Amino acid sequence: MARIDGRSFDEVRPVTITRNYTKYAQGSVLIEMGETKVICTASIEEKVPPFLKNSGKGWITAEYSMLPASTQVRKIRESSRGKVEGRTQEIQRLIGRALRSVIDLEAFGERTIWIDCDVIQADGGTRTAAITGAFVALVDALYHLKSAGQISRLPLKSYISAISVGIVGEKPLLDLCYQEDSNAKVDMNIVMTDKNEFVEVQGTGEEAPFSKESLLELMRLGELGNQHLIKLQKEALGKLADEIAAEGE
Amino acid sequence: MARIDGRSFDEVRPVTITRNYTKYAQGSVLIEMGETKVICTASIEEKVPPFLKNSGKGWITAEYSMLPASTQVRKIRESSRGKVEGRTQEIQRLIGRALRSVIDLEAFGERTIWIDCDVIQADGGTRTAAITGAFVALVDALYHLKSAGQISRLPLKSYISAISVGIVGEKPLLDLCYQEDSNAKVDMNIVMTDKNEFVEVQGTGEEAPFSKESLLELMRLGELGNQHLIKLQKEALGKLADEIAAEGE
Amino acid sequence: MARIDGRSFDEVRPVTITRNYTKYAQGSVLIEMGETKVICTASIEEKVPPFLKNSGKGWITAEYSMLPASTQVRKIRESSRGKVEGRTQEIQRLIGRALRSVIDLEAFGERTIWIDCDVIQADGGTRTAAITGAFVALVDALYHLKSAGQISRLPLKSYISAISVGIVGEKPLLDLCYQEDSNAKVDMNIVMTDKNEFVEVQGTGEEAPFSKESLLELMRLGELGNQHLIKLQKEALGKLADEIAAEGE
Amino acid sequence: MARIDGRSFDEVRPVTITRNYTKYAQGSVLIEMGETKVICTASIEEKVPPFLKNSGKGWITAEYSMLPASTQVRKIRESSRGKVEGRTQEIQRLIGRALRSVIDLEAFGERTIWIDCDVIQADGGTRTAAITGAFVALVDALYHLKSAGQISRLPLKSYISAISVGIVGEKPLLDLCYQEDSNAKVDMNIVMTDKNEFVEVQGTGEEAPFSKESLLELMRLGELGNQHLIKLQKEALGKLADEIAAEGE
Amino acid sequence: MARIDGRSFDEVRPVTITRNYTKYAQGSVLIEMGETKVICTASIEEKVPPFLKNSGKGWITAEYSMLPASTQVRKIRESSRGKVEGRTQEIQRLIGRALRSVIDLEAFGERTIWIDCDVIQADGGTRTAAITGAFVALVDALYHLKSAGQISRLPLKSYISAISVGIVGEKPLLDLCYQEDSNAKVDMNIVMTDKNEFVEVQGTGEEAPFSKESLLELMRLGELGNQHLIKLQKEALGKLADEIAAEGE
Amino acid sequence: MARIDGRSFDEVRPVTITRNYTKYAQGSVLIEMGETKVICTASIEEKVPPFLKNSGKGWITAEYSMLPASTQVRKIRESSRGKVEGRTQEIQRLIGRALRSVIDLEAFGERTIWIDCDVIQADGGTRTAAITGAFVALVDALYHLKSAGQISRLPLKSYISAISVGIVGEKPLLDLCYQEDSNAKVDMNIVMTDKNEFVEVQGTGEEAPFSKESLLELMRLGELGNQHLIKLQKEALGKLADEIAAEGE
């Protein structure tokens, strides 16, 4: 009973993480998970939001958007509608919260890092791909600060990545593509650190409620997927991953 | 090591569910959980959103708002700001999704039931109280349709309720009040049915990631709390709960 | 020729004024006039709008809103529509103007008192009930400042209350309920002080113009109603009313 | 004790009513009252708002705006601010209500007449000038319909005009200019018909409450002013006024 | 082959420039080109936008709007729609850019001059009339600053005016009226100085592309028109034009 | 006197046109001109805007946006600001107008083709690159309709492309990069067909007005650049270009 694209139930789609995808932002990553493609950038701004003025703390905030032609049916541009949809807000709040949880905000000064996740092509799992890619862009931006002598070490507490899991038919699956996602009875996004801890667990059974056993199985798949992704993040970061490891000692 | 208000770690605050709180909506409930007070109404409209026209299906949608003076520091009115905050959108999407999951939307005709949850006083757990109270208002509205002969039976698949849990210090706690919530390292909202199944699990460890063991303990507390709340919903519904039980046979 | 609810033409509906209705705002009142129910709160903010900076003067501003289910047909939430209706703006301007007229704004320092009037249930006369209830909440907020030693006396120039009057059929009536109001040919809101002076007179004859005689009769009813309401405000304020009286000596 | 501009207390400023001021709208009037200048147009649209579809009734709606340079200090354009101020909404609701009160809406078919009042120069009394001028433009638009054979008679119930009155110092004055208005303790707008009846009375004593005697004196001045204005409207309408008179017989 | 209104192909419509049209703005002009009528005002504000703070430079910014009844079919008010149309923004950017190009912004201090162009009646060429009229209002405002001793000389680099040209049928025409404009295959706005230099050339062939020869012929007509308009601006400015000439020596 | 990037004054930057860049839209192109990168998609919608209903005509409309990190300093997202800037509107109007001018709108039925131009990286000339790339995407979308049998031939009247030219220092230059553009005294965008005709000419001399000679020289450069770009479009279209040529016979 193979999946649409031939994967096994616990298999992540092919992942490519391209660093330095564009040239202006301090961190810029194109992440591809199967047919899902998201540009994730991290831009440093030398000021903080009002509630952090004179606190000595920095801030990380995220924005998420889909290009109109990134979806099967063209999506109306939010700037044309004059407002940001609930779904978008939910996603950008999630991305920001996730990234802030692994960064020592007090250790990079009164700066804001703007994370922009722009979906070029959507085939399921855009918000989780955004988190996974944005983390790499964020590391690059932090390294930029360090290289410039503005901070002495990378203020990282952990790696972080995210993956979707769900139940399609009666089958728990890892890393749902769009067609699977739109048929899922239960749908869950799991954000984890490299210490195998959870940062966010968001599971929804709009079509059908689910048992504790299902939840546990989904979480097991989520762990599997996130371990895989964090390995790929490290590979993409290359020498920078070594530097992070060295700093952590 | 008692809690601020003297409760034990697995104790829900005193709950009051007042039906028929206002007179125009077909269902109208004031739910109080400790100092948290939310008016939940269910209003029937004889049409559906465009995407359901001629589908024979009904729809349930929810809106959530806080009175400006419901919080410790006065909150700017969203109508004055001209836009609905991300947090509000997230909550109203959650409430709508939760209620739709236990209703047979095909069984009440091309109608929309508008759920309005207006927080009069906020002391933690307003979104979960809103779900718990709104379910009772929704049952009243459905019963109104049945009494009027517009539907032949109540299109309910389960009861549904919600509760917050979290980790404060190192201690997992059930039903956090505001002061506990603002100190929580992990914060989770759990929506469940009377069959002890999960509809939503939303856990966030912005302050600190959490282990699978913590997650399991929090879910156990969530089950406990929701069982208690569903018992109280049944008591509040009184004879209507009997009718639901009889229909279910 | 009794009225719908059996009242005589010059009779005000039963009024209840409940102080300390919620716990965060410095003043919080639930006013009920028949089936009309409005929560009025007064919240102190330690700053003034830009045009009063460094003036030494304080400010009072009011916002008014109806819960969606407060009316017979559910009303679309203004935050969802993204703008505040003309009617709402007219009402909140009226409430603010009325309250400012009886307060010595120079005597409570550079503070803003936010008056929030949220209609829980609307059965006619919500704007006038809002003024009557908000005055009591405002007194409580001012007393809070005095108790805290931030002002030495209550900066009150008069009591203020408001009532609606109108002509239904050919009959002038006091304190119109919704059904009367929607049949009224002439509709007038009268705001008065305890010195029997007028602060606002807003009369409209959209259905039919009216003579000076009618106007005088309506004003007479308005005086009657406001005298009654101010008596009830004093009763509700209890000891605080005595303190106001003593200060006035 | 003459007024700033030498008028006596009960004297209206010089009034000019220029018909056919612009060429596209069916009615177009420039009204000048002293230095206050307002362009009032009446444009016919062959449809009604949704709530009147298939009712056989017509509708009249008004919009009011001030050119940015019409005031002493340049006023920010409402289109730039992205929203219509409360004051503007209040005024356009007043103008619309006033004009609708003297027109038989059932007698001109399912049409909307858009009244646009654009203030070119503001020196007090813009809203009352707008009503007085708009009535003349409205008559021209109705006559246009009659000439075109679309209605058989002018659906007018009365003439209507409006004027401001107020108390400056202790003195009741008719037709306040800006400088008087900004010093007024009491400020009242009075809308009347040619039968000497009241359509709107809006009096505000934000600076100081006022007695019934003052109110009566202000109303007397308002009557005087409106009689004068209606005489001028008739002169401006010329032969059309005769036609109205003849129809009324 | 005469034009609709009998003009020859290279003839500008009758132009009237009325200075001091309203009394508050420092410059205020009514410009009429045939049936096109635009009020252009120049209002001085004693501050600059944030990007010029402490730069010692001034700023000129323009806003453009059409009265709803200025067009054949009533135009919805942009303040009611809640947003400024693309066409409007394009025009106000053009007007601002044009005027800034001939003024020495460093020579009138940290002030903003607000140019407001409000179209009273539109019969083609409103944006070019706006530029031509606004220049005269701007000179008056600058002269106001000089008279008040706030600047020592008029910071003018050139006169500036604008005119439309186009191809209707196969015929190049100068100064298109609305009916010509709506039939034009090519449509061009040409902004020029009194030194016969170009400031803006905006040509569009939406209906049909055009050759270089056509473009040259249209530019020749544009030169002709602008020379004529600048002569009229000088006449309107009268003694002030002499003063400008004297200063330029 | 070489240019920043070593090009000669009349040299276009290296251009890459990648078709089928994303998979959902019927046409999808990545155009790169030097460091400027724009994704251009053409999405077919089976309906037209209201003003074309039942006209038998199709419509082409364009939207343009810059990713926040596409510019040197991060640009605030228009969806977050809640409104589309004037510059953006100007550009999307230009793109739509340009593409419509070369398409026979009556020949592809009541459909809308949405052109989306999203700038991934901006280094000058984004609007002209957008037009050049969007034309190729549009051809692919039209070909999609033809392949599907929905139209019998490609409704193309010409090829169209666009390029910027300007005067930097005293030197006319072709295809300005950002650094050149920000120093240009004169700046012009030229849109042309493969018949060497002009569709749009937009030249601005905000910094300094320009002579007719300069204008002519800039137009000559523009012709050169556009001829080059249209050659590249044909190469990119490959067999499809042959098909267009064949149809044209």
Side-chain angles (χ1 to χ4, degrees), chain E residues 85-96:
Chain E
E85 287 175 29
R87 174 185 175 274
T88 300
Q89 295 209 37
E90 213 168 289
I91 293 173
Q92 49 201 24
R93 282 159 58 87
L94 170 64
I95 300 170

Side-chain angles (χ1 to χ4, degrees), chain D residues 180-210:
Chain D
E180 290 169 340
D181 187 61
S182 55
N183 292 315
K185 282 166 30 182
V186 180
D187 176 19
M188 185 171 287
N189 293 302
I190 296 179
V191 187
M192 295 185 76
T193 70
D194 58 337
K195 278 106 189 172
N196 230 12
E197 289 177 309
F198 296 91
V199 169
E200 288 264 349
V201 174
Q202 295 196 336
T204 298
E206 187 167 354
E207 292 309 309
F210 51 95

Side-chain angles (χ1 to χ4, degrees), chain C residues 173-241:
Chain C
L173 296 181
L174 176 60
D175 186 23
L176 279 59
C177 67
Y178 176 73
Q179 197 176 324
E180 290 169 340
D181 186 62
S182 55
N183 292 316
K185 284 166 29 182
V186 180
D187 176 19
M188 185 172 287
N189 293 301
I190 296 179
V191 187
M192 296 185 75
T193 69
D194 56 338
K195 278 106 190 171
N196 232 11
E197 289 178 309
F198 295 92
V199 169
E200 289 264 348
V201 174
Q202 294 196 337
T204 299
E206 187 167 353
E207 291 310 309
F210 51 95
S211 65
K212 192 185 290 187
E213 291 64 42
S214 297
L215 180 57
L216 288 174
E217 172 61 6
L218 290 174
M219 281 165 55
R220 205 190 57 79
L221 287 177
E223 280 179 69
L224 213 67
N226 279 311
Q227 282 169 355
H228 177 64
L229 290 173
I230 288 173
K231 192 163 65 69
L232 296 177
Q233 288 175 327
K234 288 182 177 168
E235 285 172 22
L237 285 166
K239 285 196 318 184
L240 205 36

